[in-house]
Amino acid sequence: MAQLQKSIAKRNALIRATIALVNNNGFHATPMSKIAKMANVSPATIYLYFENKQDLVNKTYIEVKANYTEYAFAEYNEHMSVEEGFENIWKRIADFKLKESENAMFLSQCDNSPIIDEPSLQEGIKHLQPLLDLWERGKKEGIIKPISDYLLYAYAINPLSFLMIAQKRGIIKFNSDQIEEAYQAAWSSIRN
Amino acid sequence: MAQLQKSIAKRNALIRATIALVNNNGFHATPMSKIAKMANVSPATIYLYFENKQDLVNKTYIEVKANYTEYAFAEYNEHMSVEEGFENIWKRIADFKLKESENAMFLSQCDNSPIIDEPSLQEGIKHLQPLLDLWERGKKEGIIKPISDYLLYAYAINPLSFLMIAQKRGIIKFNSDQIEEAYQAAWSSIRN
DNA sequence: CAAATAAAAGTGAACGTTCATTCTTTTTTA
DNA sequence: TAAAAAAGAATGAACGTTCACTTTTATTTG
């Protein structure tokens, strides 16, 4: 008897094709037939791996978001000081957004439009906990301003998305000096 | 001979319907038939006012963007000090994003996805000049950090979009204290 | 100033195309 | 060789746009 033998390679190819095509054309202007073609697969095959188009894009979102946070926290540990921890996480996130800009653009598009359903958006938020914990500690120690996590995120982290889009559009080109400047701006806006 | 008599009211209804429907469903999941229905107009009538669907959404974008900058700079004049001018513009923008959140959401969706064509995006950028001039002045006077306009925009202005989306999703509720906190974070990140 | 006229504004139905999904058949694999 | 995986063709629904027609409006004419 044959076992489930669906190839992880094929699934990955589908996810990558979805990211590339949605980035360039948007969700609804990305037909399943094109995703299939780019992944070297028949359209019908997609339905062996995903329930339907919405499920494909939801799962893609969750997977990319998980990669993002995993990358962000890869070097961080709770024994670091607040300053050290924040700088480390911030620079890892900057790294991700600039180096893996395809993935980051996809997230930014999903977060700013109604293509991902609410449960999947929620699912994506969960993984940010280490950063929230760090901020909590920073507030307790009086190092970080006693303001809401959303305000902190808005000023410390989110501007990176804007800069990433500007870089993608060729408006700016990042070097390490500019990353340092951006980091200083981020830190200024949240430190006490 | 009859003159052009197309009603501005009907055009406005079409623009407003486009904004509302694209906000809720995204560009490609918003059929012309629904836009027509919401504007109380026949589908064919849209084509008397706009060339096609792309033209409709491009023109909507440009119009909303123009409203946004007009609102932002309504009270500003060049005789204000840099601090005064920045605070005024920042708070007008915050006002716009929070009060006219339908319009602001529409802009944020367009700026983060490939639904608007490049010429229309360019067209929308033009109107920001007064802010760039203010920053130039602030840098000359040593009040504002000598960093690029995009970095300044990313940290001072763009976080408001993130906060607006959070407010729309019911995650936070803004009061005047929180707006003041956000303003302080913005100013901290760009002042010298 | 009506009535007549001409042109634009507006419409609902229809067309051709595209798309997500399913169905049927073929290929692969254990 | 049997069952899962994959494929390609088929299907039905939905969409943007156009077409043929009606209504409205403003100008001209008697």
Side-chain angles (χ1 to χ4, degrees):
Chain A
M1 260 151 286
Q3 299 239 357
L4 269 203
Q5 185 63 20
K6 291 187 277 188
S7 98
I8 194 75
K10 224 162 262 186
R11 198 194 123 106
N12 286 343
L14 285 167
I15 298 257
R16 279 201 311 277
T18 302
I19 294 167
L21 290 167
V22 169
N23 273 350
N24 284 315
N25 310 113
F27 172 56
H28 288 284
T30 298
M32 296 295 260
S33 55
K34 269 192 199 161
I35 297 174
K37 192 163 286 178
M38 185 174 240
N40 284 315
V41 136
S42 156
T45 301
I46 300 178
Y47 293 86
L48 297 174
Y49 292 84
F50 303 95
E51 285 174 43
N52 50 39
K53 194 181 178 186
Q54 185 65 54
D55 182 52
L56 166 60
V57 77
N58 283 343
K59 295 234 166 89
T60 302
Y61 174 79
I62 291 172
E63 200 156 313
V64 175
K65 195 90 172 193
N67 290 349
Y68 162 69
T69 45
E70 195 192 348
Y71 194 100
F73 300 129
E75 294 175 349
Y76 170 71
N77 74 70
E78 295 169 2
H79 302 299
M80 290 178 173
S81 72
V82 170
E83 287 97 333
E84 211 184 338
F86 176 73
E87 180 172 352
N88 186 275
I89 292 168
W90 191 94
K91 290 188 173 170
R92 292 286 298 177
I93 290 178
D95 235 41
F96 183 90
K97 298 224 176 186
L98 298 173
K99 286 190 186 147
E100 306 223 29
S101 68
E102 279 289 302
N103 289 323
M105 295 275 299
F106 180 79
L107 291 181
S108 131
Q109 185 174 167
C110 292
D111 287 327
N112 286 281
S113 66
I115 73 187
I116 303 294
D117 64 22
E118 195 57 29
S120 304
L121 284 175
Q122 293 300 328
E123 173 75 26
I125 291 176
K126 284 183 188 168
H127 308 283
L128 276 173
Q129 201 55 45
L131 184 60
L132 305 186
D133 292 344
L134 177 72
W135 279 339
E136 191 55 34
R137 185 151 61 93
K139 288 185 210 171
K140 278 211 181 94
E141 296 178 12
I143 296 167
I144 287 180
K145 286 181 187 169
I147 56 184
S148 85
D149 292 339
Y150 276 93
L151 234 57
L152 291 174
Y153 194 88
Y155 281 96
I157 310 293
N158 198 57
L160 283 168
S161 291
F162 181 82
L163 296 172
M164 163 200 80
I165 289 171
Q167 155 128 325
K168 182 91 178 196
R169 289 202 185 137
I171 294 166
I172 50 172
K173 179 86 188 108
F174 265 99
N175 55 38
S176 57
D177 283 356
Q178 279 179 301
I179 288 176
E180 188 59 29
E181 279 176 347
Y183 168 68
Q184 291 302 336
W187 178 239
S188 297
S189 64
I190 71 165
R191 70 145 177 257
N192 217 339
Chain B
M1 260 150 286
Q3 301 236 356
L4 270 206
Q5 185 62 21
K6 290 187 277 188
S7 101
I8 194 77
K10 220 160 265 186
R11 199 193 121 105
N12 285 343
L14 284 167
I15 297 259
R16 279 203 310 278
T18 302
I19 294 167
L21 290 168
V22 169
N23 273 349
N24 283 315
N25 310 111
F27 171 57
H28 288 286
T30 298
M32 295 297 258
S33 56
K34 267 193 199 160
I35 296 175
K37 193 165 283 175
M38 185 174 240
N40 283 315
V41 134
S42 158
T45 302
I46 301 178
Y47 293 85
L48 299 173
Y49 292 84
F50 303 95
E51 284 174 46
N52 49 40
K53 195 182 178 187
Q54 186 63 55
D55 182 53
L56 166 61
V57 78
N58 283 342
K59 296 236 166 86
T60 302
Y61 175 79
I62 290 171
E63 200 157 312
V64 175
K65 196 88 171 192
N67 290 349
Y68 162 69
T69 44
E70 196 192 348
Y71 194 100
F73 300 129
E75 294 174 349
Y76 169 71
N77 73 70
E78 295 170 2
H79 303 299
M80 290 177 172
S81 72
V82 171
E83 286 96 334
E84 210 183 338
F86 176 74
E87 180 171 354
N88 185 276
I89 293 168
W90 190 95
K91 288 189 173 168
R92 292 286 297 176
I93 290 177
D95 236 41
F96 182 90
K97 298 226 176 187
L98 297 173
K99 287 191 185 147
E100 307 223 29
S101 69
E102 280 287 303
N103 289 323
M105 295 275 296
F106 180 78
L107 291 181
S108 129
Q109 185 174 166
C110 293
D111 287 328
N112 286 283
S113 65
I115 72 186
I116 304 294
D117 63 22
E118 195 58 29
S120 304
L121 285 175
Q122 292 301 327
E123 174 75 29
I125 291 176
K126 286 184 189 167
H127 307 285
L128 276 174
Q129 201 54 44
L131 184 60
L132 306 187
D133 293 343
L134 177 73
W135 279 338
E136 191 54 34
R137 184 151 61 93
K139 288 186 212 170
K140 276 211 182 94
E141 295 178 13
I143 296 167
I144 287 180
K145 287 181 187 170
I147 55 183
S148 84
D149 292 340
Y150 276 93
L151 232 58
L152 291 173
Y153 194 88
Y155 280 95
I157 310 293
N158 198 56
L160 284 168
S161 291
F162 181 82
L163 296 171
M164 164 200 79
I165 289 170
Q167 156 127 325
K168 182 91 176 196
R169 288 205 185 134
I171 294 167
I172 49 172
K173 179 87 188 107
F174 265 98
N175 55 38
S176 56
D177 283 355
Q178 278 178 303
I179 288 175
E180 189 58 30
E181 279 175 348
Y183 168 68
Q184 292 301 336
W187 179 239
S188 298
S189 65
I190 70 164
R191 72 148 176 254
N192 218 338

